[in-house]
Amino acid sequence: MLRKSLKILRRPLAAALLIGATALPGRSETLADAMVDAYRHAALLDQNRAVLRAADEDVATALAQLRPVVQWIAQHTYTDNDGIDLRSSSIALQAQITLYDWGRNAIAIDIAKESVLATRAALVGVEQDVLLSAVQAYLDVTSAIEQVDLQQNSVRVIGQEQKAATDRFEVGEITQTDVAQADAALAAARASLASAEGSLQVARESYLLATGKMPGKLAPPPPTPKLPANLAAARDIGQRTHPSIEQARRQAAAAELGVAAAAAERNPQLTGTAAITRQRSNNNAMLDTRYGTNKTVSLEMSQTIYSGGRLPSAHRKAMAQRDSARAALLNVARQVNDAVGVAWAQIDVARAQISSIDEQIVAAQKAFEGVSEEATLGARTTLDVLDAEQSLLAARADKITAQANLQLAHYQLLSAMGLLTVENLKLGIPTYDPSAYYNAVQDAPYTSRQGESLDRVLRAIGK
């Protein structure tokens, strides 16, 4: 009679383990919500936006070199000449402008513009990193929740197994050793549950770091993003759109202009100066005070003939930096190809793992049910049942990990192709406009309608 009751009990226990491993409560926060929160919360994005604004100002600085510099100069002189005091005071308004520099300032402006474009590309790269961190944190939490649910069911099921073993021992069907094995399995299940709960708490903290808030009820991950037709197509997209490649291209262009700028330093420079000076002089010996106004206009042309080797050295350095930038571009292109290939392979591996694990789960389920039936007939020991049950549990835990890896690999592939952005994912939120600040400062405003426009831009971005 006891064997019959144990046989009836084992069937619902196996069903409970299966249902507990697959059922998930309803969720509300989606993966898209997590990425939106990360985009809005990331201090790293704020930092790199400020870096971009600083690069924008470099364009204004380079442009300002072509404009006149106006300044006032006040001077007072006292001279004691053998007891005769001579005093003079003057105030002048002076304007100075570079009339022609044979292309030096024009090259500097072009370099600054290339640096702006490189920094914009870097900002897109940071955006990708922020969103990928949010995806990683989201998947870690969801998989950790599933692992906790699985381990909780394992503790419940093995606890019932342990109780059944105790009952069988009391009626003399099994030995004390079988009971001890059940006790050990229950303790191990509780330890695994504690580890899973700890991993969940760690994942929740990582989610807080990535998004700025603790996770609530999370929805199951959405369907994986659509892939390109093949690996070659994915690599082609990466070469065309990845922000790191665009950044390296712009840096290489700036380095090429840097060589031209170093060569242009040898060129002459024509400068014009205009000044008006009001002067007052006093001679106490002659009791004479004189006033005068001077107006001057001058042209000056200069060129460095000998610099002690500084200019040739700067030119050679610029050429070395150009070669370095070109090599960096080639290296980045190769790294992007590698990242795309690795992500593509990880997708294939995860798919193959899931397919194999599904077969493993089916086989382990049948083995568990068969061993359980045989145990009720005395043909199997309690340890055999626990081992079969542990194999089934391990297979289900492996599937949770493989499914999370498959999801993550898809988003890693998007990142490797340069497509993991708010705009491409169509998250439907306002994004930072990298050109707004540039447009406000590109003409180097001082105080004017342009300056008022700049103030509006600063207020809009909260600075």
Side-chain angles (χ1 to χ4, degrees), residues 325-341:
R326 289 175 176 175
L329 173 58
L330 177 60
N331 187 52
V332 169
R334 291 172 176 174
Q335 288 176 339
V336 168
N337 265 348
D338 177 70
V340 171

Side-chain angles (χ1 to χ4, degrees), residues 96-326:
Q96 186 177 45
I97 185 172
T98 300
L99 297 174
Y100 197 65
D101 63 1
W102 280 262
R104 274 190 288 187
N105 282 333
I107 294 173
I109 293 172
D110 289 340
I111 291 174
K113 288 180 177 179
E114 291 293 342
S115 297
V116 166
L117 295 174
T119 309
R120 287 184 186 180
L123 180 59
V124 176
V126 172
E127 178 183 340
Q128 288 208 139
D129 293 342
V130 167
L131 295 182
L132 187 59
S133 296
V135 172
Q136 175 80 68
Y138 185 93
L139 294 175
D140 284 348
V141 172
T142 55
S143 62
I145 290 173
E146 292 183 54
Q147 293 285 5
V148 168
D149 289 345
L150 183 64
Q151 296 299 335
Q152 286 175 341
N153 274 278
S154 174
V155 169
R156 286 195 296 269
V157 171
I158 294 178
Q160 292 173 358
E161 294 282 356
Q162 189 271 344
K163 185 177 183 304
T166 301
D167 293 341
R168 294 178 68 188
F169 170 73
E170 290 176 353
V171 298
E173 290 190 0
I174 59 176
T175 67
Q176 183 65 47
T177 300
D178 295 312
V179 176
Q181 289 170 341
D183 291 341
L186 179 59
R190 287 171 176 165
S192 296
L193 174 59
S195 176
E197 289 173 340
S199 297
L200 174 58
Q201 187 57 38
V202 171
R204 286 169 58 83
E205 292 296 333
S206 297
Y207 189 95
L208 172 63
L209 177 63
T211 67
K213 65 179 185 180
M214 280 292 186
K217 292 183 178 181
L218 301 185
T224 55
K226 185 178 179 181
L227 298 180
N230 49 54
L231 176 57
R235 281 180 165 152
D236 182 63
I237 293 172
Q239 292 298 312
R240 288 186 284 107
T241 63
H242 199 282
S244 293
I245 292 181
E246 177 64 14
Q247 180 185 6
R249 284 179 183 144
R250 296 298 180 179
Q251 289 172 337
E256 190 72 44
L257 290 168
V259 175
E265 286 296 319
R266 302 168 182 262
N267 294 336
Q269 180 170 300
L270 178 62
T271 304
T273 303
I276 181 170
T277 305
R278 179 67 174 173
Q279 187 171 13
R280 176 181 180 274
S281 58
N282 179 270
N283 187 330
N284 67 342
M286 301 177 61
L287 301 176
D288 183 23
T289 301
R290 296 182 180 181
Y291 296 89
T293 300
N294 298 324
K295 300 176 182 178
T296 60
V297 176
S298 64
L299 293 176
E300 178 182 324
M301 179 178 285
S302 63
Q303 182 177 18
T304 302
I305 298 175
Y306 176 70
S307 64
R310 178 182 62 84
L311 292 181
S313 175
H315 193 197
R316 293 192 299 270
K317 178 180 178 180
M319 289 190 289
Q321 290 173 330
R322 175 200 59 194
D323 294 343
S324 173
R326 289 175 176 175

